[in-house]
Amino acid sequence: MSNQSSDSVKRLQDLATMVSLAKRRGFVFQSSEIYGGLNSCWDYGPLGAQLKLNVKRAWWNSMVRRDDVVGLDAAILMHPTVWKASGHVDGFSDPLVDCKDCKTRFRADNTDSYINDKKCPNCGSKNLTEERKFNLMFKTHMGPTEDAGAVVYLRPETAQGHYVNYENILTSSRKKIPFGIAAIGKSFRNEITPGNFIFRTREFEQMEMQYFVKPGQDAEWYEKWREARWTFYKKIGIREENLRWKPHGPDELAHYAKAAVDVQYLFPFGWQELEGVHNRGDFDLTQHTKFSGKKLDYFEEATKERYVPYAIETAVGCDRLVLVVLCDAYREEISVDEESGKPDTRVVLGFHPDLAPVKAAVLPLSKKAELQGPSMKLRDELAQEFEVQYDDSQSIGKRYRRQDEIGTPYCITVDFETLNDQKVTIRHRDTMKQDRVALTEVSNYVAAGLRNFSK
Ligand code: ATP
């Protein structure tokens, strides 16, 4: 009797597995690795850069294809008074403690051993410094002089770009309240304890949206945006059992916030924040009016009322979402080979096809010239529409596995029969089902498959 194949699926157990896959397959590398790396800085390799772009595109489309949201790309460097007005110069700090014995530096407000017993998280010593406030903004100088007058900051959030452009956007886009501004861009925070791969870094990208509403309608819009954000995560294929809401208690609220809730994700290192949805009230526009002297209010034609709008913010880290997408997509399918009886593991990144960095791979069965011609022709044709890889080295089985591991939805095999019947074999990543499809139909077949994909 032959062995029955018994399939079981294992999900990602630890972050190290993902860090290693990400490096091996060219998703994420340590920054400046040949110099020993730079703490908490990461570079996105060929597949990572494409994945990140796809994540940004998914977010951007979910925002600015709405009639009530417009896009913005603001500069990283802003007038220094922006950060006085926003409260960042005075208030954007974390409590910092040093261990006098092992010299470990850590954040007092999120380190369990310190919160519970006032102990160092590394060596357990109680020989610690007092808590000191440490401002997280990176400072630099504009122009050739390094005097205090030339100090500027690398922005610690993109949101202030939305507020200082509120009036320009309102006038130029002819939008009416309620409307939103969405932006994607780099932010910088001199985090005391960065870590967990690309989860918390000092340089990162944010995808933020500020939605301006009439005071009194803020609670309703806050709920609507919570719903919209949850729908977004479902739509890009994040498994719902790995997501939850975590409201901020009154003592956790940021200085500007009337209400706040986090979307948390179950990372291999536990539940952690992925996105914040905040009701910022009129704090920011009021502050910028105070500091700039410019009125940033709104005149409502219908009611002849003038008011300072409230802002509902949705803020997610792009790098953090890339980590979520990677962790959530990872699976190991373990089966027993029917003939040999040996266990076999297939590693798959089951990305939603909108996010998959490579949509299809063209795999000629052999390197022989007669297959190369039609294979390259097919590759070039498909590359007009999608990201495609061409791979002709090693066995077809190994090539399928390589594509599974980078999450390619379709593998297209060109074989000797193709030369007679002008057909190729298309293999599906998730089911491994194979279809024989006419060469002229491949592009339509793949496009339809990507469009109609459901988990
Ligand atoms: P924390 O309390 O964890 O430092 P935060 O609540 O201050 O973060 P926000 O200011 O609300 O974070 O930023 C919005 C989003 O930006 C976060 O939900 C997160 O996804 C992302 N983000 C914030 N800081 C970092 C960082 N250092 N590295 C990567 N992403 C970050």
Side-chain angles (χ1 to χ4, degrees):
M1 221 180 90
S2 71
N3 287 321
Q4 288 288 311
S5 90
S6 57
D7 284 351
S8 70
V9 173
K10 207 170 117 195
R11 293 290 176 176
L12 188 68
Q13 308 289 313
D14 57 273
L15 191 62
T17 303
M18 184 48 69
V19 176
S20 144
L21 187 157
K23 179 174 179 188
R24 187 159 35 83
R25 302 314 312 274
F27 284 95
V28 182
F29 310 122
Q30 200 180 13
S31 160
S32 329
E33 198 187 80
I34 60 168
Y35 288 98
L38 180 64
N39 187 17
S40 102
C41 294
W42 302 90
D43 295 343
Y44 290 82
L47 294 179
Q50 184 68 51
L51 174 63
K52 199 173 180 196
L53 198 60
N54 296 348
V55 164
K56 286 193 245 184
R57 189 176 292 133
W59 183 89
W60 183 262
N61 289 347
S62 81
M63 288 292 173
V64 305
R65 284 188 182 171
R66 293 171 59 118
D67 189 47
D68 56 351
V69 178
V70 291
L72 169 72
D73 181 350
I76 289 170
L77 302 175
M78 302 179 78
H79 193 289
T81 310
V82 167
W83 306 111
K84 289 209 181 84
S86 69
H88 284 82
V89 170
D90 294 327
F92 193 57
S93 52
D94 281 337
L96 172 83
V97 173
D98 286 300
C99 173
K100 290 184 193 161
D101 290 337
C102 74
K103 311 290 176 220
T104 295
R105 174 166 287 181
F106 58 91
R107 247 173 85 172
D109 60 339
N110 69 0
T111 306
D112 287 341
S113 66
Y114 180 80
I115 294 167
N116 299 333
D117 312 304
K118 296 278 177 283
K119 277 201 319 209
C120 168
N122 183 44
C123 71
S125 163
K126 294 197 164 185
N127 190 13
L128 307 171
T129 63
E130 290 291 306
E131 288 178 24
R132 306 188 301 293
K133 286 277 180 198
F134 173 72
N135 194 296
L136 300 183
M137 280 198 294
F138 278 97
K139 256 188 214 166
T140 186
H141 297 88
M142 193 112 144
T145 52
E146 292 208 355
D147 58 42
V151 165
V152 289
Y153 300 97
L154 302 188
R155 67 179 174 199
E157 62 173 31
T158 59
Q160 295 308 320
H162 304 61
Y163 294 117
V164 300
N165 282 293
Y166 158 81
E167 187 72 29
N168 277 338
I169 290 176
L170 190 63
T171 318
S172 61
S173 70
R174 305 170 55 82
K175 288 287 167 203
K176 295 202 164 30
I177 296 270
F179 83 102
I181 303 173
I184 301 177
K186 290 262 182 177
S187 292
F188 301 81
R189 296 182 187 179
N190 205 354
E191 300 275 2
I192 298 166
T193 42
N196 283 328
F197 194 31
I198 51 173
F199 175 81
R200 188 183 298 284
T201 51
R202 294 190 170 112
E203 170 182 346
F204 56 98
E205 238 167 326
Q206 287 188 305
M207 306 190 287
E208 298 197 293
M209 192 272 323
Q210 312 293 317
Y211 196 78
F212 298 97
V213 303
K214 184 175 187 176
Q217 295 180 353
D218 47 317
E220 179 191 329
W221 277 105
Y222 176 71
E223 288 307 320
K224 282 190 185 160
W225 276 107
R226 282 180 58 153
E227 221 175 281
R229 299 306 301 142
W230 193 268
T231 306
F232 169 76
Y233 289 119
K234 276 200 331 203
K235 201 168 157 222
I236 59 166
I238 307 302
R239 285 173 293 139
E240 238 176 326
E241 70 260 31
N242 290 334
L243 293 169
R244 73 175 188 194
W245 289 109
K246 174 82 174 29
H248 288 207
D251 53 330
E252 292 171 292
L253 283 183
H255 60 276
Y256 52 74
K258 288 183 65 180
V261 65
D262 291 340
V263 180
Q264 289 192 333
Y265 179 78
L266 185 55
F267 290 93
F269 43 89
W271 288 101
Q272 292 287 340
E273 173 178 342
L274 164 63
E275 164 156 359
V277 180
H278 310 125
N279 179 351
R280 292 174 74 133
D282 61 4
F283 176 82
D284 300 87
L285 288 182
T286 305
Q287 286 292 103
H288 286 305
T289 296
K290 217 191 279 175
F291 280 75
S292 69
K294 298 271 185 314
K295 267 211 150 65
L296 299 174
D297 56 9
Y298 181 74
F299 180 69
E300 195 171 86
E301 277 294 338
T303 59
K304 308 288 177 219
E305 276 177 273
R306 191 171 279 284
Y307 55 80
V308 179
Y310 279 15
I312 308 299
E313 170 182 76
T314 71
V316 52
C318 176
D319 312 76
R320 205 172 278 188
L321 181 51
V322 168
L323 183 59
V324 163
V325 166
L326 284 168
C327 292
D328 210 67
Y330 184 92
R331 65 174 188 264
E332 293 172 19
E333 292 176 5
I334 302 150
S335 60
V336 176
D337 186 272
E338 291 196 13
E339 274 169 23
S340 68
K342 287 190 182 146
D344 181 45
T345 300
R346 182 171 89 110
V347 174
V348 185
L349 287 180
F351 294 130
H352 186 286
D354 288 355
L355 304 184
V358 179
K359 311 295 187 207
V362 176
L363 314 173
L365 199 63
S366 114
K367 281 187 180 167
K368 292 222 168 79
E370 64 246 60
L371 292 193
Q372 225 174 52
S375 301
M376 279 308 281
K377 187 163 170 269
L378 180 61
R379 194 222 80 90
D380 292 346
E381 190 190 312
L382 295 178
Q384 309 273 330
E385 318 260 343
F386 328 103
E387 294 75 30
V388 189
Q389 269 197 1
Y390 184 89
D391 185 3
D392 63 4
S393 65
Q394 296 187 303
S395 75
I396 192 73
K398 284 205 171 120
R399 283 182 268 162
Y400 282 154
R401 291 301 168 88
R402 279 206 291 269
Q403 294 299 330
D404 291 339
E405 208 186 23
I406 62 169
T408 306
Y410 294 103
C411 284
I412 303 159
T413 308
V414 179
D415 53 31
F416 291 100
E417 202 40 45
T418 307
L419 304 176
N420 300 323
D421 66 2
Q422 301 296 305
K423 289 184 176 171
V424 290
T425 301
I426 302 187
R427 170 189 178 268
H428 294 231
R429 176 193 70 200
D430 295 321
T431 57
M432 293 190 276
K433 185 179 117 221
Q434 303 199 351
D435 274 341
R436 197 78 187 157
V437 176
L439 269 171
T440 50
E441 276 308 306
V442 174
S443 178
N444 286 339
Y445 181 100
V446 173
L450 296 173
R451 239 188 347 260
N452 300 331
F453 175 90
S454 66
K455 281 224 133 193

